[in-house]
DNA sequence: TTGAAAGCGCTAACAT
DNA sequence: ATGTTAGCGCTTTCAA
């Protein structure tokens, strides 16, 4: 068994096939293959296969200034929202011939900066950013840079950057109305950080909807993160200060779980004593105890649309920024019910 | 506002700083910076910062033959097992200065081949493969290639390749013994594809354990995939043919969920009528209805250890292949209970 | 301590 | 239809 030798390069293929290196290059490139004599073409390709030739993408990228890779930055791939989103992006990019460079930032600006820098150094052709704050220094730096950019799931206030985001406004509205229509009159909101677009928009929508329904809002609290622990902690606060609340709109499903857990700990059962609506309809939301009533956001589509938008931006960098709103729909399950008669 | 110009290259920095390009290169490289006059060093670095210089990773990689990127291939990032695993790998790689190229194959060999080819073309310095079959053509091709390789979660029968896998044998043993100790005597196994190492090993362990306990195995079925649908379908079969089974060891948590759903549909309640043990302890497993009793595998560690192993292989390609077994532990929750007295 | 020059592997404009 | 040549942006050996 021969030792693994250095992999063959284009020159080796050319010599083995008895043609010039540029001819070999043309033969191995879809776009230029047509220029060649069919027999030469065939011969070069066979030789390449025989040698196990594989083009060196770095050399090609250096020359063509296209790496055929895209960088995607998420807060945490471990948050159930992101795997389907990443998968959607991946599928679209794959079909377009692009690879995906992925990293998690834990909402740490320094880390995000370093990771984006590394992506830019590796010459990604575009960036999918899912960690934006409403006023995000990193996004601001990047928007004036050369790499096409699409924001995912969250966007910035000032606009001017392409983004694919859920319809936060309509979603939170539906959630509040659902509780209202079940008979709930004492509603609260436990949302994510107001520094994020979806934290702020869902909150604003809740406030407006409650006012429009003629209710007096019990409370609207801001959890420090979109996760279970933050939901739990914030709900402790809520339930201590407003024990009579019967319906809660949560900023997302993870927060909802934390809220339900905090309630349960105080003997407040969901949905008997309190109804909670989540947001996203993450994986397994319907199999939880209780099954979550939630606003379903097609997470795969969010990623896929973002990747499509990015691809069109890569093809035409002068294209105007565009924001795509992905609509959600209410999915009624077991975490909401009519309030007790006594209420 | 100035239009975005071409990004500066090393030559621009050198000229602006009034030094030769090679001096600029030395200044911007940790390893060679010590060679320079401190003042020159400082001057070059400031100039580089001022220009917003960013090294072109492709050019560097072309020269150094190191891309500082690693490719990771998983069956589906949407399967809850993988996000923590990917995250573990990502964290280790990030610390080592590497980026992660990720792709999902849907257990499709052709797709996997194309994606690995793309990664190899982009000159990844190593590969993390989480989709191996026990006899995997792609792994066989790759093992003789130049890129260091570490198998994740699943390994191949013939060995000779580094791998980080859960302790399937011990895990399935604990699961079966747990059911036995609760009083169950009619046990079945619903596992994943036998073509995978964890499908086969968990099954073998179950068989042996049941025999050792002196029980007659009710059935051992092979689901077509490690997912909920396959669990549901396989459980239909199981419950039709063996309605008296009281304890089931599932190949993983998703299969367990499908099994429980199929049972519920027939009026067989978990854990009252049937006990089910999962495998992995995926995210939210404890919040499901019922909360899953399962074998907890530290998924993050699987990915982290694999990345560490790969890094050491990158540093020393002649290092001997090594298999790391990650142990699991039984986590008892609500999907298992003593069988009904009548049994 | 710095400069000169070659070359990583490839593509593409130009020449034939 | 194919060959010639320059050069993408960088690192590194060699020389001074």
């Amino acid at each position: 068994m021969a030792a693994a030798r250095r992999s063959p390069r284009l020159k080796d293929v050319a010599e083995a096939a008895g043609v010039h290196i540029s001819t070999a290059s043309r033969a191995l490139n879809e776009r230029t293959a047509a220029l060649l004599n069919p027999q030469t073409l065939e011969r070069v390709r066979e030789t390449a296969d025989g040698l196990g030739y594989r083009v060196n993408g770095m050399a090609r990228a250096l020359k063509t200034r296209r790496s055929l890779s895209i960088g995607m930055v998420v807060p945490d791939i471990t948050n159930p929202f992101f795997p389907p989103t990443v998968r959607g992006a991946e599928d679209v990019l794959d079909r377009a011939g692009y690879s995906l460079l992925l990293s998690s930032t834990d909402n740490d600006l320094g880390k995000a900066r370093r990771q984006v820098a590394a992506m830019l150094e590796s010459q990604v052709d575009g960036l999918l950013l899912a960690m934006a704050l409403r006023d995000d220094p990193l996004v601001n730096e990047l928007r004036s840079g050369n790499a096409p950019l699409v924001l995912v799931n969250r966007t910035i206030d000032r606009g001017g950057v392409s983004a694919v985001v859920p319809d936060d406004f309509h979603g939170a509205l539906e959630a509040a109305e659902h509780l209202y229509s079940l008979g709930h009159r004492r509603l609260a909101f436990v949302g994510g950080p107001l520094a994020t677009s979806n934290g702020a928009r869902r909150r604003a929508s809740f406030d407006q909807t409650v006012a429009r329904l003629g209710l007096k809002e019990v409370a609207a609290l801001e959890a420090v993160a979109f996760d279970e622990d933050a939901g739990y902690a914030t709900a402790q606060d809520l339930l201590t200060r407003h024990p009579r609340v019967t319906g809660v709109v949560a900023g997302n499903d993870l927060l909802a779980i934390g809220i339900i857990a905090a309630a349960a700990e105080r003997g407040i059962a969901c949905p008997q004593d309190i109804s909670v609506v989540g947001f996203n309809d993450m994986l397994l939301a319907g199999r939880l105890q209780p099954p979550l009533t939630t606003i379903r956001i097609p997470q795969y589509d969010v990623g896929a649309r973002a990747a499509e938008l990015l691809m069109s931006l890569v093809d035409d960098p002068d294209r105007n920024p565009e924001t795509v709103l992905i609509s959600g729909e209410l999915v009624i399950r077991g975490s909401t019910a009519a309030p007790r008669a006594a209420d």
Side-chain angles (χ1 to χ4, degrees), chain A:
Chain A
M1 192 163 62
R5 312 194 42 215
R6 224 197 6 57
S7 4
R9 30 189 200 149
L10 192 53
K11 195 178 172 210
D12 301 325
V13 175
E15 281 168 4
V19 297
H20 190 267
I21 182 175
S22 63
T23 303
S25 171
R26 291 183 187 109
L28 269 18
N29 249 293
E30 277 310 328
R31 211 169 29 73
T32 46
L35 300 174
L36 298 189
N37 178 321
Q39 304 180 16
T40 324
L41 178 59
E42 177 71 358
R43 185 155 39 94
V44 174
R45 287 194 166 162
E46 275 174 4
T47 322
D49 280 357
L51 292 174
Y53 173 73
R54 179 167 277 150
V55 51
N56 182 322
M58 314 247 88
R60 168 179 285 173
L62 183 57
K63 182 70 192 177
T64 61
R65 295 154 170 291
R66 282 217 159 192
S67 67
L68 296 182
S69 70
I70 293 294
M72 181 164 190
V73 183
V74 300
D76 183 7
I77 185 64
T78 263
N79 176 322
F81 181 83
F82 295 106
T85 308
V86 168
R87 187 61 208 271
E90 200 196 307
D91 285 352
V92 167
L93 295 177
D94 184 47
R95 258 177 262 130
Y98 281 74
S99 301
L100 183 71
L101 233 50
L102 181 76
S103 77
S104 299
T105 64
D106 294 315
N107 291 312
D108 172 339
L109 176 62
K111 202 169 166 191
R113 226 186 219 116
R114 289 200 320 275
Q115 307 198 126
V116 166
M119 288 174 172
L120 257 16
E121 283 188 4
S122 78
Q123 308 297 114
V124 292
D125 294 331
L127 245 18
L128 252 18
L129 261 34
M131 79 310 119
L133 299 179
R134 286 165 57 202
D135 179 15
D136 196 296
L138 182 53
V139 173
N140 284 336
E141 291 161 27
L142 258 22
R143 61 182 316 188
S144 47
N146 292 317
L149 195 64
V150 174
L151 268 23
V152 187
N153 186 39
R154 305 172 175 182
T155 187
I156 58 175
D157 281 352
R158 59 185 293 197
V161 177
S162 284
V164 177
V165 295
D167 190 339
D168 298 304
F169 205 88
H170 185 246
L173 180 155
E174 278 213 274
E177 283 190 346
H178 168 61
L179 292 173
Y180 183 84
S181 73
L182 283 171
H184 293 272
R185 294 298 178 264
R186 289 194 297 282
L187 305 186
F189 180 77
V190 174
L194 291 173
T196 64
S197 63
N198 30 35
R201 290 177 181 187
R202 289 170 199 177
R203 158 73 179 271
S205 168
F206 176 82
D207 289 349
Q208 288 179 34
T209 303
V210 163
R212 181 169 49 72
L213 293 171
L215 301 180
K216 184 159 160 295
E217 182 175 300
V218 169
L221 269 38
E222 177 187 11
V224 299
F226 278 105
D227 63 26
E228 190 178 331
D229 288 349
Y232 178 88
T234 312
Q236 297 279 29
D237 191 18
L238 173 70
L239 297 170
T240 302
R241 286 160 42 192
H242 308 280
R244 301 196 63 227
V245 60
T246 70
V248 180
V249 172
N252 76 355
D253 295 333
L254 256 15
L255 287 170
I257 292 179
I259 295 165
I260 293 170
E265 225 170 62
R266 302 176 170 236
I268 303 172
C270 173
Q272 296 82 357
D273 307 314
I274 197 168
S275 285
V276 180
V277 186
F279 210 108
N280 286 343
D281 193 24
M282 64 179 188
L283 186 70
L284 297 176
R287 294 228 177 273
L288 298 174
Q289 163 69 307
L292 240 46
T293 292
T294 187
I295 305 297
R296 170 181 297 156
I297 301 296
Q299 298 148 70
Y300 182 96
D301 295 350
V302 170
R305 289 290 289 116
E308 284 167 5
L309 206 49
L310 185 58
M311 291 289 89
S312 63
L313 233 36
V314 166
D315 289 342
D316 173 15
D318 293 325
R319 218 181 132 99
N320 277 328
E322 177 180 340
T323 294
V324 177
L325 231 51
I326 304 286
S327 355
E329 55 170 337
L330 175 68
V331 181
I332 301 174
R333 290 196 282 238
S335 65
T336 53
R340 285 190 185 287
D343 287 316

